[in-house]
PDB file of all heavy atoms in Angstrom:
ATOM      1  N   LEU A 180      -3.017 -18.123  -2.356  1.00  0.00           N
ATOM      2  CA  LEU A 180      -2.531 -18.155  -3.739  1.00  0.00           C
ATOM      3  C   LEU A 180      -3.467 -18.877  -4.713  1.00  0.00           C
ATOM      4  O   LEU A 180      -3.653 -18.419  -5.845  1.00  0.00           O
ATOM      5  CB  LEU A 180      -1.144 -18.808  -3.784  1.00  0.00           C
ATOM      6  CG  LEU A 180       0.046 -17.860  -3.680  1.00  0.00           C
ATOM      7  CD1 LEU A 180       1.339 -18.638  -3.482  1.00  0.00           C
ATOM      8  CD2 LEU A 180       0.151 -16.980  -4.923  1.00  0.00           C
ATOM      9  N   ALA A 183      -6.047 -16.384  -5.982  1.00  0.00           N
ATOM     10  CA  ALA A 183      -5.623 -15.026  -6.314  1.00  0.00           C
ATOM     11  C   ALA A 183      -5.507 -14.824  -7.822  1.00  0.00           C
ATOM     12  O   ALA A 183      -5.214 -15.757  -8.580  1.00  0.00           O
ATOM     13  CB  ALA A 183      -4.290 -14.716  -5.644  1.00  0.00           C
ATOM     14  N   GLU A 184      -5.722 -13.586  -8.238  1.00  0.00           N
ATOM     15  CA  GLU A 184      -5.585 -13.210  -9.643  1.00  0.00           C
ATOM     16  C   GLU A 184      -4.887 -11.850  -9.716  1.00  0.00           C
ATOM     17  O   GLU A 184      -4.838 -11.096  -8.756  1.00  0.00           O
ATOM     18  CB  GLU A 184      -6.964 -13.109 -10.326  1.00  0.00           C
ATOM     19  CG  GLU A 184      -7.747 -14.413 -10.364  1.00  0.00           C
ATOM     20  CD  GLU A 184      -9.123 -14.229 -10.988  1.00  0.00           C
ATOM     21  OE1 GLU A 184      -9.514 -13.052 -11.204  1.00  0.00           O
ATOM     22  OE2 GLU A 184      -9.791 -15.232 -11.252  1.00  0.00           O
ATOM     23  N   ASP A 185      -4.335 -11.568 -10.889  1.00  0.00           N
ATOM     24  CA  ASP A 185      -3.764 -10.251 -11.194  1.00  0.00           C
ATOM     25  C   ASP A 185      -2.750  -9.810 -10.127  1.00  0.00           C
ATOM     26  O   ASP A 185      -1.881 -10.581  -9.759  1.00  0.00           O
ATOM     27  CB  ASP A 185      -4.888  -9.226 -11.376  1.00  0.00           C
ATOM     28  CG  ASP A 185      -5.840  -9.622 -12.490  1.00  0.00           C
ATOM     29  OD1 ASP A 185      -5.378 -10.249 -13.451  1.00  0.00           O
ATOM     30  OD2 ASP A 185      -7.040  -9.336 -12.383  1.00  0.00           O
ATOM     31  N   HIS A 186      -2.874  -8.563  -9.659  1.00  0.00           N
ATOM     32  CA  HIS A 186      -1.871  -8.025  -8.734  1.00  0.00           C
ATOM     33  C   HIS A 186      -1.848  -8.776  -7.407  1.00  0.00           C
ATOM     34  O   HIS A 186      -0.812  -8.854  -6.746  1.00  0.00           O
ATOM     35  CB  HIS A 186      -2.124  -6.532  -8.492  1.00  0.00           C
ATOM     36  CG  HIS A 186      -3.375  -6.252  -7.731  1.00  0.00           C
ATOM     37  ND1 HIS A 186      -4.613  -6.179  -8.333  1.00  0.00           N
ATOM     38  CD2 HIS A 186      -3.587  -6.022  -6.403  1.00  0.00           C
ATOM     39  CE1 HIS A 186      -5.537  -5.914  -7.419  1.00  0.00           C
ATOM     40  NE2 HIS A 186      -4.933  -5.820  -6.248  1.00  0.00           N
ATOM     41  N   ALA A 187      -2.993  -9.353  -7.019  1.00  0.00           N
ATOM     42  CA  ALA A 187      -3.034 -10.129  -5.777  1.00  0.00           C
ATOM     43  C   ALA A 187      -2.149 -11.368  -5.896  1.00  0.00           C
ATOM     44  O   ALA A 187      -1.437 -11.739  -4.950  1.00  0.00           O
ATOM     45  CB  ALA A 187      -4.464 -10.535  -5.454  1.00  0.00           C
ATOM     46  N   LEU A 188      -2.179 -12.000  -7.045  1.00  0.00           N
ATOM     47  CA  LEU A 188      -1.343 -13.183  -7.283  1.00  0.00           C
ATOM     48  C   LEU A 188       0.138 -12.822  -7.178  1.00  0.00           C
ATOM     49  O   LEU A 188       0.929 -13.533  -6.537  1.00  0.00           O
ATOM     50  CB  LEU A 188      -1.657 -13.762  -8.664  1.00  0.00           C
ATOM     51  CG  LEU A 188      -0.785 -14.929  -9.143  1.00  0.00           C
ATOM     52  CD1 LEU A 188      -0.910 -16.114  -8.212  1.00  0.00           C
ATOM     53  CD2 LEU A 188      -1.170 -15.319 -10.566  1.00  0.00           C
ATOM     54  N   THR A 189       0.511 -11.707  -7.770  1.00  0.00           N
ATOM     55  CA  THR A 189       1.912 -11.290  -7.747  1.00  0.00           C
ATOM     56  C   THR A 189       2.363 -10.954  -6.336  1.00  0.00           C
ATOM     57  O   THR A 189       3.476 -11.321  -5.916  1.00  0.00           O
ATOM     58  CB  THR A 189       2.112 -10.080  -8.673  1.00  0.00           C
ATOM     59  OG1 THR A 189       1.608 -10.393  -9.977  1.00  0.00           O
ATOM     60  CG2 THR A 189       3.579  -9.715  -8.792  1.00  0.00           C
ATOM     61  N   ALA A 190       1.523 -10.261  -5.593  1.00  0.00           N
ATOM     62  CA  ALA A 190       1.872  -9.880  -4.219  1.00  0.00           C
ATOM     63  C   ALA A 190       2.053 -11.108  -3.334  1.00  0.00           C
ATOM     64  O   ALA A 190       3.008 -11.196  -2.553  1.00  0.00           O
ATOM     65  CB  ALA A 190       0.797  -8.965  -3.643  1.00  0.00           C
ATOM     66  N   LEU A 191       1.145 -12.075  -3.446  1.00  0.00           N
ATOM     67  CA  LEU A 191       1.253 -13.295  -2.644  1.00  0.00           C
ATOM     68  C   LEU A 191       2.445 -14.143  -3.075  1.00  0.00           C
ATOM     69  O   LEU A 191       3.077 -14.807  -2.251  1.00  0.00           O
ATOM     70  CB  LEU A 191      -0.045 -14.093  -2.752  1.00  0.00           C
ATOM     71  CG  LEU A 191      -1.239 -13.498  -2.008  1.00  0.00           C
ATOM     72  CD1 LEU A 191      -2.545 -14.139  -2.480  1.00  0.00           C
ATOM     73  CD2 LEU A 191      -1.089 -13.665  -0.499  1.00  0.00           C
ATOM     74  N   HIS A 192       2.748 -14.118  -4.363  1.00  0.00           N
ATOM     75  CA  HIS A 192       3.912 -14.833  -4.885  1.00  0.00           C
ATOM     76  C   HIS A 192       5.195 -14.294  -4.245  1.00  0.00           C
ATOM     77  O   HIS A 192       6.043 -15.063  -3.767  1.00  0.00           O
ATOM     78  CB  HIS A 192       3.952 -14.643  -6.402  1.00  0.00           C
ATOM     79  CG  HIS A 192       5.134 -15.239  -7.080  1.00  0.00           C
ATOM     80  ND1 HIS A 192       5.347 -16.594  -7.181  1.00  0.00           N
ATOM     81  CD2 HIS A 192       6.183 -14.658  -7.722  1.00  0.00           C
ATOM     82  CE1 HIS A 192       6.461 -16.822  -7.845  1.00  0.00           C
ATOM     83  NE2 HIS A 192       6.997 -15.669  -8.172  1.00  0.00           N
ATOM     84  N   CYS A 193       5.347 -12.971  -4.211  1.00  0.00           N
ATOM     85  CA  CYS A 193       6.529 -12.361  -3.576  1.00  0.00           C
ATOM     86  C   CYS A 193       6.580 -12.679  -2.083  1.00  0.00           C
ATOM     87  O   CYS A 193       7.651 -12.923  -1.522  1.00  0.00           O
ATOM     88  CB  CYS A 193       6.521 -10.852  -3.795  1.00  0.00           C
ATOM     89  SG  CYS A 193       6.959 -10.350  -5.472  1.00  0.00           S
ATOM     90  N   LEU A 196       7.936 -16.201  -1.629  1.00  0.00           N
ATOM     91  CA  LEU A 196       9.391 -16.259  -1.817  1.00  0.00           C
ATOM     92  C   LEU A 196      10.112 -15.715  -0.591  1.00  0.00           C
ATOM     93  O   LEU A 196      11.098 -16.294  -0.125  1.00  0.00           O
ATOM     94  CB  LEU A 196       9.807 -15.455  -3.051  1.00  0.00           C
ATOM     95  CG  LEU A 196       9.209 -15.834  -4.398  1.00  0.00           C
ATOM     96  CD1 LEU A 196       9.917 -15.089  -5.520  1.00  0.00           C
ATOM     97  CD2 LEU A 196       9.270 -17.326  -4.638  1.00  0.00           C
ATOM     98  N   GLU A 211      10.220 -21.417  -7.009  1.00  0.00           N
ATOM     99  CA  GLU A 211       8.930 -20.720  -7.074  1.00  0.00           C
ATOM    100  C   GLU A 211       9.029 -19.443  -7.902  1.00  0.00           C
ATOM    101  O   GLU A 211       8.058 -19.022  -8.545  1.00  0.00           O
ATOM    102  CB  GLU A 211       8.454 -20.378  -5.666  1.00  0.00           C
ATOM    103  CG  GLU A 211       7.974 -21.561  -4.839  1.00  0.00           C
ATOM    104  CD  GLU A 211       6.609 -22.061  -5.260  1.00  0.00           C
ATOM    105  OE1 GLU A 211       5.948 -21.404  -6.101  1.00  0.00           O
ATOM    106  OE2 GLU A 211       6.201 -23.125  -4.759  1.00  0.00           O
ATOM    107  N   SER A 212      10.198 -18.810  -7.898  1.00  0.00           N
ATOM    108  CA  SER A 212      10.347 -17.528  -8.600  1.00  0.00           C
ATOM    109  C   SER A 212      10.201 -17.676 -10.108  1.00  0.00           C
ATOM    110  O   SER A 212       9.969 -16.692 -10.814  1.00  0.00           O
ATOM    111  CB  SER A 212      11.708 -16.905  -8.276  1.00  0.00           C
ATOM    112  OG  SER A 212      12.769 -17.609  -8.902  1.00  0.00           O
ATOM    113  N   ASP A 213      10.357 -18.901 -10.631  1.00  0.00           N
ATOM    114  CA  ASP A 213      10.229 -19.134 -12.071  1.00  0.00           C
ATOM    115  C   ASP A 213       8.777 -19.166 -12.535  1.00  0.00           C
ATOM    116  O   ASP A 213       8.517 -19.142 -13.739  1.00  0.00           O
ATOM    117  CB  ASP A 213      10.915 -20.448 -12.462  1.00  0.00           C
ATOM    118  CG  ASP A 213      12.428 -20.354 -12.369  1.00  0.00           C
ATOM    119  OD1 ASP A 213      12.960 -19.231 -12.497  1.00  0.00           O
ATOM    120  OD2 ASP A 213      13.080 -21.394 -12.153  1.00  0.00           O
ATOM    121  N   ARG A 214       7.863 -19.225 -11.604  1.00  0.00           N
ATOM    122  CA  ARG A 214       6.451 -19.261 -12.001  1.00  0.00           C
ATOM    123  C   ARG A 214       6.044 -17.921 -12.607  1.00  0.00           C
ATOM    124  O   ARG A 214       6.335 -16.873 -12.051  1.00  0.00           O
ATOM    125  CB  ARG A 214       5.562 -19.559 -10.799  1.00  0.00           C
ATOM    126  CG  ARG A 214       5.802 -20.918 -10.192  1.00  0.00           C
ATOM    127  CD  ARG A 214       4.684 -21.301  -9.255  1.00  0.00           C
ATOM    128  NE  ARG A 214       4.926 -22.593  -8.650  1.00  0.00           N
ATOM    129  CZ  ARG A 214       3.958 -23.390  -8.201  1.00  0.00           C
ATOM    130  NH1 ARG A 214       2.702 -23.024  -8.297  1.00  0.00           N
ATOM    131  NH2 ARG A 214       4.252 -24.553  -7.653  1.00  0.00           N
ATOM    132  N   PRO A 215       5.364 -17.943 -13.764  1.00  0.00           N
ATOM    133  CA  PRO A 215       4.951 -16.669 -14.367  1.00  0.00           C
ATOM    134  C   PRO A 215       3.842 -16.008 -13.551  1.00  0.00           C
ATOM    135  O   PRO A 215       2.892 -16.674 -13.114  1.00  0.00           O
ATOM    136  CB  PRO A 215       4.444 -17.085 -15.755  1.00  0.00           C
ATOM    137  CG  PRO A 215       4.042 -18.532 -15.600  1.00  0.00           C
ATOM    138  CD  PRO A 215       4.977 -19.117 -14.574  1.00  0.00           C
ATOM    139  N   VAL A 216       3.991 -14.719 -13.326  1.00  0.00           N
ATOM    140  CA  VAL A 216       2.970 -13.945 -12.611  1.00  0.00           C
ATOM    141  C   VAL A 216       2.760 -12.629 -13.351  1.00  0.00           C
ATOM    142  O   VAL A 216       3.644 -12.190 -14.090  1.00  0.00           O
ATOM    143  CB  VAL A 216       3.381 -13.669 -11.149  1.00  0.00           C
ATOM    144  CG1 VAL A 216       3.411 -14.947 -10.332  1.00  0.00           C
ATOM    145  CG2 VAL A 216       4.719 -12.947 -11.072  1.00  0.00           C
ATOM    146  N   PRO A 217       1.621 -11.989 -13.156  1.00  0.00           N
ATOM    147  CA  PRO A 217       1.389 -10.687 -13.798  1.00  0.00           C
ATOM    148  C   PRO A 217       2.393  -9.648 -13.306  1.00  0.00           C
ATOM    149  O   PRO A 217       3.008  -9.793 -12.251  1.00  0.00           O
ATOM    150  CB  PRO A 217      -0.044 -10.332 -13.364  1.00  0.00           C
ATOM    151  CG  PRO A 217      -0.661 -11.637 -12.958  1.00  0.00           C
ATOM    152  CD  PRO A 217       0.445 -12.459 -12.408  1.00  0.00           C
ATOM    153  N   ASP A 218       2.547  -8.597 -14.084  1.00  0.00           N
ATOM    154  CA  ASP A 218       3.413  -7.497 -13.661  1.00  0.00           C
ATOM    155  C   ASP A 218       2.893  -6.919 -12.346  1.00  0.00           C
ATOM    156  O   ASP A 218       1.680  -6.819 -12.136  1.00  0.00           O
ATOM    157  CB  ASP A 218       3.438  -6.391 -14.719  1.00  0.00           C
ATOM    158  CG  ASP A 218       4.164  -6.826 -15.985  1.00  0.00           C
ATOM    159  OD1 ASP A 218       4.992  -7.758 -15.902  1.00  0.00           O
ATOM    160  OD2 ASP A 218       3.895  -6.234 -17.052  1.00  0.00           O
ATOM    161  N   PRO A 219       3.796  -6.517 -11.454  1.00  0.00           N
ATOM    162  CA  PRO A 219       3.356  -5.954 -10.174  1.00  0.00           C
ATOM    163  C   PRO A 219       2.773  -4.563 -10.345  1.00  0.00           C
ATOM    164  O   PRO A 219       3.031  -3.881 -11.347  1.00  0.00           O
ATOM    165  CB  PRO A 219       4.662  -5.899  -9.361  1.00  0.00           C
ATOM    166  CG  PRO A 219       5.727  -5.737 -10.395  1.00  0.00           C
ATOM    167  CD  PRO A 219       5.269  -6.544 -11.576  1.00  0.00           C
ATOM    168  N   LEU A 227      10.127  -8.134  -6.641  1.00  0.00           N
ATOM    169  CA  LEU A 227      10.435  -9.487  -7.107  1.00  0.00           C
ATOM    170  C   LEU A 227      11.937  -9.694  -7.315  1.00  0.00           C
ATOM    171  O   LEU A 227      12.495 -10.685  -6.814  1.00  0.00           O
ATOM    172  CB  LEU A 227       9.651  -9.804  -8.379  1.00  0.00           C
ATOM    173  CG  LEU A 227       9.822 -11.220  -8.936  1.00  0.00           C
ATOM    174  CD1 LEU A 227       9.490 -12.270  -7.877  1.00  0.00           C
ATOM    175  CD2 LEU A 227       8.956 -11.420 -10.175  1.00  0.00           C
TER     176      LEU A 227
END
Side-chain angles (χ1 to χ4, degrees):
L180 268 170
E184 298 177 350
D185 301 328
H186 68 276
L188 174 61
T189 306
L191 288 165
H192 176 68
C193 286
L196 302 190
E211 288 285 352
S212 72
D213 289 334
R214 296 195 181 206
V216 292
D218 291 337
L227 183 55

